[in-house]
Amino acid sequence: MVYTIDDERRYIENLKQKIAELKKERRAVIIVHNYQREEVQDIADYTGDSLELSRAVINIAAEVIVFCGVHFMAESAAILNPDKKVLLPVKEAGCPMADMVTAEKLRAMRQNFPDAAVVCYVNSSARVKAESDICCTSSNAIEVVRSLPHKRIIFVPDKNLGAYIQNNVPEKEIILWNGFCPTHIRLTEEEVMEMKKIYPQAEFIAHPECRPEVVALADKVLSTGGMFKYVKNSPAKEFIIGTERGLVYRLKKENPEKKFYLPSEHLVCANMKLITLGWIAHSLEFMVHEVKVPEEIRVKAKLALERMLEVSQGAKWQAIAGY
Ligand code: 13P
Ligand code: SF4
């Protein structure tokens, strides 16, 4: 028997139908990161970057949160919403960068710099968050670091985001961890230069997880959520996209008159792409895989996340840390 494109379409439509029914039955909401597959973005109740998704889950009325992203994102939802059931459709969907730092190693590093504050990128485990003073995302990292009274900052785990912060906050000393995103690190300066040569009129927008030499070529450095807002408001008609390819789907949908170019075919996060419609249906049907955080870790990690959310709303460290 030959499997045709029509069969594929029918299969996808049936899965979408099944997910819609299960969602109602389970009182569930589907939260989707910007790097997810196109068909997963299509069934989202909410799509966004790490900060937008953390904010979105806080006031959710549904009983179940199906998190279509990677493990640390689902974990953040579980930390902020202990009363909800948070499901990660594929339990192996992790972030390799988040695994590059452990709570034990961070604690050891901290002993060498007792005067430093620890800022952790949300791409980290709940245990690492629990060891940190405050979290940040790619959209508020500079704001978070500037808000601290400390002169020295230990920043984990992304050395590229850390270097970007150091360039923008020269009055502080940023002690870097040797972590990186295996997807963004693949994008080279040469690839971007080549694209700029082909499309000289295009603006280059880059995620701060890219190498410093790539970030230096960017017209604008932005989180994934920031890229949508920027493209919408920019008078430019063409853009070179320095982040994971999943972004291009919504960019094209929201800006049909604009053009988008990916400078490398390797800008794919394999972990994000593990989540499929089939696994989402499976997770709702069997209520797997629930992401849970031990209470003593959750309470500490929540403090670091909440401090970040408060800084993003303009609060000062002295006020939120009870100084
Ligand atoms: P954003 O918060 O910008 O979406 O980034 C998340 C991420 O994992 C980037 O690789
Ligand atoms: Fe982690 Fe990089 Fe994938 Fe983002 S793109 S989830 S940082 S591996």
Side-chain angles (χ1 to χ4, degrees):
M1 204 180 98
V2 184
Y3 191 71
T4 65
I5 295 197
D6 279 347
D7 290 332
E8 172 77 16
R9 277 203 200 107
R10 254 195 306 277
Y11 171 72
I12 290 179
E13 282 321 307
N14 287 345
L15 271 176
K16 285 185 177 169
Q17 184 61 32
K18 186 172 176 183
I19 292 168
E21 285 161 16
L22 283 165
K23 228 177 77 174
K24 244 191 236 156
E25 206 177 292
R26 304 291 195 201
R27 291 188 33 81
V29 69
I30 299 184
I31 299 285
V32 173
H33 185 264
N34 293 324
Y35 293 161
Q36 289 287 295
R37 291 168 182 269
E38 297 178 4
E39 63 275 19
V40 173
Q41 294 190 35
D42 284 344
I43 60 155
D45 291 302
Y46 196 89
T47 312
D49 67 16
S50 308
L51 181 63
E52 290 165 338
L53 296 182
S54 291
R55 285 216 185 99
V57 295
I58 290 175
N59 298 313
I60 269 170
E63 284 160 23
V64 176
I65 297 171
V66 181
F67 213 112
C68 303
V70 287
H71 188 267
F72 77 82
M73 295 178 175
E75 212 177 40
S76 293
I79 292 167
L80 293 167
N81 295 274
D83 305 335
K84 313 283 176 192
K85 211 182 241 300
V86 179
L87 304 178
L88 182 64
V90 178
K91 67 174 186 310
E92 292 78 14
C95 167
M97 172 159 67
D99 297 336
M100 291 179 190
V101 56
T102 63
E104 292 68 32
K105 286 188 181 153
L106 176 56
R107 217 175 298 137
M109 164 92 134
R110 198 168 196 166
Q111 280 179 354
N112 297 333
F113 302 98
D115 60 325
V118 176
V119 179
C120 84
Y121 190 24
V122 285
N123 298 40
S124 55
S125 68
R127 286 177 194 278
V128 166
K129 289 183 177 77
E131 289 292 326
S132 303
D133 293 303
I134 188 164
C135 293
C136 75
T137 71
S138 55
S139 65
N140 60 20
I142 292 174
E143 201 183 353
V144 164
V145 167
R146 279 200 186 125
S147 78
L148 302 173
H150 312 72
K151 192 108 187 75
R152 267 182 165 177
I153 312 287
I154 297 172
F155 186 79
V156 296
D158 187 8
K159 63 178 177 186
N160 291 338
L161 178 57
Y164 173 66
I165 299 169
Q166 181 69 86
N167 277 341
N168 284 278
V169 193
E171 66 277 19
K172 309 250 182 198
E173 182 194 350
I174 313 288
I175 300 155
L176 300 176
W177 195 265
N178 195 21
F180 59 89
C181 164
T183 301
H184 286 86
I185 206 107
R186 287 184 206 135
L187 180 60
T188 65
E189 197 182 357
E190 291 72 31
E191 285 169 324
V192 177
M193 296 291 279
E194 186 57 30
M195 267 292 169
K196 278 178 166 256
K197 227 188 275 163
I198 305 173
Y199 303 108
Q201 66 291 5
E203 281 197 72
F204 173 47
I205 54 176
H207 197 278
E209 287 176 18
C210 292
R211 298 163 181 272
E213 57 272 27
V214 167
V215 167
L217 295 173
D219 294 297
K220 202 79 192 163
V221 182
L222 296 156
S223 72
T224 62
M227 288 184 183
F228 290 108
K229 289 179 203 125
Y230 183 78
V231 164
K232 200 171 217 144
N233 296 320
S234 166
K237 293 274 174 266
E238 296 176 53
F239 299 86
I240 300 165
I241 306 300
T243 194
E244 211 270 352
R245 63 184 311 131
L247 217 76
V248 175
Y249 177 59
R250 200 175 126 202
L251 280 171
K252 278 187 181 162
K253 218 154 96 173
E254 291 181 0
N255 306 278
E257 75 292 0
K258 301 193 176 184
K259 289 205 166 83
F260 304 97
Y261 311 114
L262 275 168
S264 161
E265 61 185 28
H266 302 299
L267 283 167
V268 183
C269 175
N271 286 274
M272 285 279 180
K273 279 10 185 198
L274 287 174
I275 313 275
T276 60
L277 291 181
W279 286 120
I280 296 169
H282 176 266
S283 107
L284 275 167
E285 189 164 4
F286 299 102
M287 297 300 276
V288 288
H289 304 273
E290 188 173 0
V291 175
K292 280 187 171 166
V293 181
E295 190 56 15
E296 73 279 12
I297 305 280
R298 190 191 71 79
V299 172
K300 289 189 197 156
K302 186 167 182 256
L303 194 63
L305 277 170
E306 281 178 345
R307 282 176 175 163
M308 167 189 83
L309 293 171
E310 287 177 40
V311 167
S312 288
Q313 283 159 4
K316 288 275 169 289
W317 168 264
Q318 276 80 356
I320 57 180
Y323 277 54

